[in-house]
Amino acid sequence: MSMMEMGIAMSKTILVTGAAGFVGSHLCERLINEGHNVKGLDNYYTGAKANVSHLLDSGSFQMRRHDVAKPYWEQADEIYNLACPASPAHYQASPVDTMRTSFLGALHALEVASACNAKVLQASTSEVYGDPSVHPQPEDYWGNVNPYGERACYDEGKRSAEALFYSFRQERPLETKIARIFNTYGPRMQINDGRVVSNFIVQALNGEDITIYGEGNQTRSFCYVDDLVEGLMRLMRSGPEQGCEPINLGNPGEFTILELAEQVIKMTGSSSKLVFLPLPADDPKQRKPDIRRATVNLGWEPKVSLKAGLEKTIDYFEHALSVGGTVAKPARVTKVAASAQISLAG
Ligand code: NAD
Ligand code: UDP
């Protein structure tokens, strides 16, 4: 009987790019807890050393500052390519770098994987579906992306990375995986991350106005980070027959942004009021993953309800704000939809 059949995981050397980020830090922690040696790369653009400092004493974790848009070399059995700013406020602040990170970061991860015969997983995104006209979104939907707009640097950057993964597979015997990640939240998001869950919690805890972009009728499906990490690891472990096509990872529970705001206000007991701001350009109106492929191929489905996940996340931000001293303002997207600009001007 093999080690795997006996349920004993073999210790591997695993490279995680974007290791100091929100998802990356949770993934590194799980991998270390399962007995693997983990090497992290990050340029700290949106990540923080504090997210991984507790892992450095494990003896199984090394962290190196590096921009994945530049070539690098590491020996590894598996590579998770997570490096990329994920919040619209941050990826739109430096759009050319976002495209460089998305495409060149994927190219360099594939080249390293090719050279050391490692499995490689790309953190892709529900943004490849753009503002979807099919609902919920299955993996065979090609999407509705504006290639020449505010979100294009990220959406098209991630789409080009998927195309590169496909192209490598055509030319080389490489085992590649693509996870299309839907909105994920949890502890270790930065206070100024700018995404909706962290913004609303920070605003509610500070007693500030909750910033609803547009009318708040747009929907998102929110996945707790532990569920996502489980899905990423199952995808990496899957054989070529279960895991070569892109796979949606997300929680199919769908909420309007107004519903999320009301839930956060209720759970924090906040006196914050809602304030309505212009909708950012090309903001998708609805989003919900079809997760049948992940359920059938990986035996995966999310387990953490929005309420349970928010509880843990609110606890985290309460602590982060109390030790942080000064209260950071959440970041926001400043480029608004053309329709909103017109209606404001008129
Ligand atoms: P994050 O911004 O918290 O983490 C990204 C990390 O990548 C940060 O530590 C950042 O410093 C690092 N990074 C950025 N550019 C880099 C570069 N050029 N070189 C090296 N490091 C770089 O975001 P996250 O939520 O943890 O997202 C992780 C990955 O998952 C990203 O690729 C993102 O696109 C993808 N994703 C996340 C979500 C989500 O809801 N969290 C949804 C879809 C896709
Ligand atoms: N949003 C909002 N207020 C905020 C931040 C975001 O209303 O303070 C909205 C945003 O317009 C979008 C949704 O919440 O419709 C999710 O935004 P986020 O930036 O978290 O991720 P996205 O799914 O847009 O990439």
Side-chain angles (χ1 to χ4, degrees), residues 106-125:
L107 176 67
H108 297 143
L110 285 160
E111 282 175 339
V112 173
S114 227
C116 53
N117 197 25
K119 279 185 174 184
V120 56
L121 182 150
Q122 168 68 3
S124 189
T125 169

Side-chain angles (χ1 to χ4, degrees), residues 88 127 151 183 195-196 199 211 213 218 220 283 287:
E127 294 287 340
R151 296 175 85 99
N183 299 66
R195 282 174 279 184
V196 69
N199 267 12
T211 53
Y213 302 165
Q218 68 271 39
R220 293 293 186 274
D283 199 287
R287 186 182 286 156

Side-chain angles (χ1 to χ4, degrees), residues 86-89 91 125-127 151 154 183 189 193-200 203 210-214 216 218-220 222 257-258 260 277-280 282-285 287 330-333:
S87 164
Y91 71 64
T125 169
S126 52
E127 294 287 340
R151 296 175 85 99
Y154 184 75
N183 299 66
M189 296 181 90
D193 178 278
R195 282 174 279 184
V196 69
V197 175
S198 51
N199 267 12
F200 285 3
Q203 289 161 344
I210 305 271
T211 53
I212 308 279
Y213 302 165
Q218 68 271 39
T219 68
R220 293 293 186 274
F222 300 104
I257 295 309
L258 273 179
L260 175 72
L277 300 176
L279 190 68
D282 298 331
D283 199 287
K285 287 181 254 335
R287 186 182 286 156
R332 70 172 301 248
V333 179

